[in-house]
Amino acid sequence: MFLPPLMKRLLALHQPYKQRLLWAFLAMTVTAATEPVVPYIFQVLLDKGFVGHPKFSLWLVPAAVIGIFLIRGIATFTSSYLMTWVSTRVLNELRRQMFERMLDLSIDFYATNTVGKVINSIMFEVQQIIDMVTKVLTSMVRSALTVLGLLAWLLYLNWTLTIVTLVLLPLITIVVRTTGKRLKQLNQDSLDVNAEMTQLIEETTRAQQVIKIFGGQSYEKARFHQRAENLRRYTMRMSGTFAMTVPITQLMTACAVAVVIVMALIQSGNGHITVGGFVSFITAMLMLLAPLKQLAEVNGPLQRGMAAAAAVFQLIDKTPERQGGKMLAQRSTGKVDFVDVSFSYPGHRQLALQHITLSVEPGETVAFVGMSGGGKSTLVSLIPGFYSATGGAILLDGETIEDISLTSLRSQIAMVSQNVVLFDDTLAANIAYGDDHPDPRRVEDAVVAAHLTDVVDGLSDGLQTRIGDNGSRLSGGQRQRVAIARAIYKNAPILILDEATSALDTESERAVQAALDKLMQGRTTFVIAHRLSTIERADRIVVLSHGEIAEVGTHRQLLENEGVYANLHRLQFSREAV
């Protein structure tokens, strides 16, 4: 049988659960088989029961009818529960694949895809796929068999009969109202768990550089798995409550019909004879409406699901960052060489960097300055492999970074940027981020070195205080010092400072600068700064203009050269004076 590639791929995800699927299909078959049997039994019972005096106990009739509906109810609940069990496992698997691929994608992906789009794919498009699979499979097996059986029976009966009774609506309303209250509460709880999941995904999307630099992939996977499992449990509870509605309603229907039959048989003994075919036809016709409606509604979720599947698998199939490369045997000395490096962003013809050649010695502090768009941030983003140079090479201790695994390369680098990224976790967890087995003593030492002692003392639970979404419970200067403490804890030989103090007030800048001075000791440091006063003590200052090196020298040398740097210096300090 021909199946579209997307459908084959979806079915392959169900392969590990084929045993439960088989039981679900068997339960659907049992449910479908009971549909045409019911009107047939009614006809036999009514025709034979109303001819003379019945030769069987009247109460055997309701017992038989209720028994049939009890079997049907158990089969319906079983198939619904098992299908949901399988679908939630497939849902988690798809989300896991998407989330892990999201962690492994290059920074360029996040420059071209919005956070909302990523969240929508992982949270909602996947759900549409599962709805499609569940509804289509259910309709194709249970509903289709039911329709065929009931249609065959209706063709056999007299089409002149008409529908008489609608007495079951009040009973069904009671059941729906009772289960609706529980579903409402479960839905609210599920929305809360869903909100936590969305926050985690948005946070992870926003924090890609920090996660990659500090090796937080395993930590994020563990957090994601925990929240995804919580969401799955709520889904199962909601499904269980909803699935009970159908068999309970049908069981109530069976009780009502059984009572009607008993009353009819009693009346038959008094000379009021009812044709069994009449009741049989009405019963079969009413039973036909629900599966016909389900089959008619298949196309909607099918089309939505296939479109969602295309988007989901498109994300899963995206090419991740480069894999492989050698692992560094020891800690890097921090020597970095740029050899005729050029770079252009994907989809852009114009070069953002042109023929950059620069040698940085271990422990040296090099500052990059220049007008906006000069290539400062682009150049330092090449060091941890966020992008790959389109020309030339970058060497770490004499080895090209393209030959080094990204995990090993990034383990040698720490970063502090203007846009601090913190996580809704404890202060200690933020400082030791990326370390699966944090060392409390190292955390405390990092707190002292980053001048965070007063902050910790002011928190209710000290280092174990949760700091809110992106550190919302901390001030800007405090958040900056937490980022510095995280870099101190990592103790990497290479440090990147990207506008680390530009957004701070004077008082906060003093505290942060003191922490930075401590952090920079003994490390190869690359500094990006617009505020030239913060880099006067750098070993070398590299002036970039239109992606090229315009000048290199110390602060004093560049001022004496009366070049680009001197002009920038005069312009900036004249503005500050004004």
Side-chain angles (χ1 to χ4, degrees), residues 285-353:
M285 191 171 183
L286 289 173
M287 294 173 67
L288 184 63
L289 298 178
L292 280 175
K293 181 180 179 182
Q294 292 175 359
L295 286 175
E297 293 174 347
V298 162
N299 189 54
L302 177 63
Q303 297 304 322
R304 290 193 300 270
M306 293 302 289
V312 166
F313 287 127
Q314 184 180 17
L315 175 58
I316 292 176
D317 293 339
K318 282 189 177 296
T319 303
E321 290 184 301
R322 64 177 176 85
Q323 306 295 310
K326 63 177 293 186
M327 300 294 292
L328 296 176
Q330 57 189 5
R331 179 184 173 90
S332 169
T333 65
K335 179 175 174 55
V336 179
D337 295 297
F338 298 87
V339 182
D340 196 29
V341 173
S342 296
F343 174 77
S344 62
Y345 285 98
H348 293 257
R349 293 182 179 180
Q350 184 177 359
L351 289 174
L353 296 172

Side-chain angles (χ1 to χ4, degrees), residues 174-465:
I174 294 174
V175 175
V176 172
R177 177 178 294 181
T178 303
T179 56
K181 292 180 180 179
R182 175 168 172 78
L183 282 173
K184 181 179 180 181
Q185 183 60 48
L186 287 174
N187 266 305
Q188 184 59 51
D189 295 340
S190 178
L191 286 175
D192 294 338
V193 177
N194 194 78
E196 292 178 5
M197 173 80 82
T198 305
Q199 177 189 353
L200 170 62
I201 297 170
E202 191 277 334
E203 200 173 58
T204 305
T205 305
R206 174 167 41 84
Q208 277 302 301
Q209 289 188 2
V210 175
I211 292 172
K212 293 179 185 301
I213 284 290
F214 291 91
Q217 284 91 340
S218 60
Y219 175 77
E220 296 303 330
K221 290 175 185 177
R223 286 209 303 163
F224 179 83
H225 175 75
Q226 180 183 6
R227 296 187 184 184
E229 188 63 20
N230 289 340
L231 184 58
R232 190 194 69 80
R233 290 195 188 101
Y234 275 106
T235 303
M236 289 305 305
R237 289 168 63 183
M238 290 170 60
S239 175
T241 302
F242 184 79
M244 284 296 295
T245 304
V246 175
I248 289 176
T249 302
Q250 291 175 340
L251 190 60
M252 294 176 67
T253 302
C255 294
V257 172
V259 172
V260 170
I261 293 176
V262 171
M263 293 176 63
L265 290 175
I266 294 174
Q267 292 176 359
S268 173
N270 296 328
H272 302 288
I273 299 176
T274 303
V275 179
F278 175 80
V279 175
S280 180
F281 178 84
I282 297 300
T283 303
M285 191 171 183
L286 289 173
M287 294 173 67
L288 184 63
L289 298 178
L292 280 175
K293 181 180 179 182
Q294 292 175 359
L295 286 175
E297 293 174 347
V298 162
N299 189 54
L302 177 63
Q303 297 304 322
R304 290 193 300 270
M306 293 302 289
V312 166
F313 287 127
Q314 184 180 17
L315 175 58
I316 292 176
D317 293 339
K318 282 189 177 296
T319 303
E321 290 184 301
R322 64 177 176 85
Q323 306 295 310
K326 63 177 293 186
M327 300 294 292
L328 296 176
Q330 57 189 5
R331 179 184 173 90
S332 169
T333 65
K335 179 175 174 55
V336 179
D337 295 297
F338 298 87
V339 182
D340 196 29
V341 173
S342 296
F343 174 77
S344 62
Y345 285 98
H348 293 257
R349 293 182 179 180
Q350 184 177 359
L351 289 174
L353 296 172
Q354 302 180 54
H355 308 295
I356 303 295
T357 298
L358 181 69
S359 182
V360 182
E361 296 300 320
E364 186 178 8
T365 297
V366 176
F368 296 100
V369 300
M371 300 297 290
S372 296
K376 304 182 296 298
S377 296
T378 301
L379 182 59
V380 296
S381 69
L382 299 180
I383 300 172
F386 292 150
Y387 296 97
S388 295
T390 52
I394 300 176
L395 308 180
L396 176 62
D397 293 343
E399 294 188 56
T400 175
I401 62 172
E402 296 296 325
D403 294 335
I404 303 173
S405 80
L406 288 175
T407 301
S408 185
L409 171 65
R410 291 166 180 168
S411 68
Q412 308 296 321
I413 304 170
M415 175 183 285
V416 180
S417 66
Q418 174 184 353
N419 299 317
V420 176
V421 175
L422 300 177
F423 300 90
D424 186 13
D425 207 333
T426 65
L427 180 59
N430 274 276
I431 293 173
Y433 184 78
D435 188 349
D436 294 333
H437 305 286
D439 183 347
R441 181 60 181 272
R442 282 177 58 196
V443 172
E444 292 174 1
D445 291 343
V447 167
V448 174
H451 296 268
L452 275 172
T453 305
D454 59 329
V455 177
V456 174
D457 292 341
L459 296 175
S460 58
D461 295 320
L463 283 168
Q464 300 308 313
T465 304

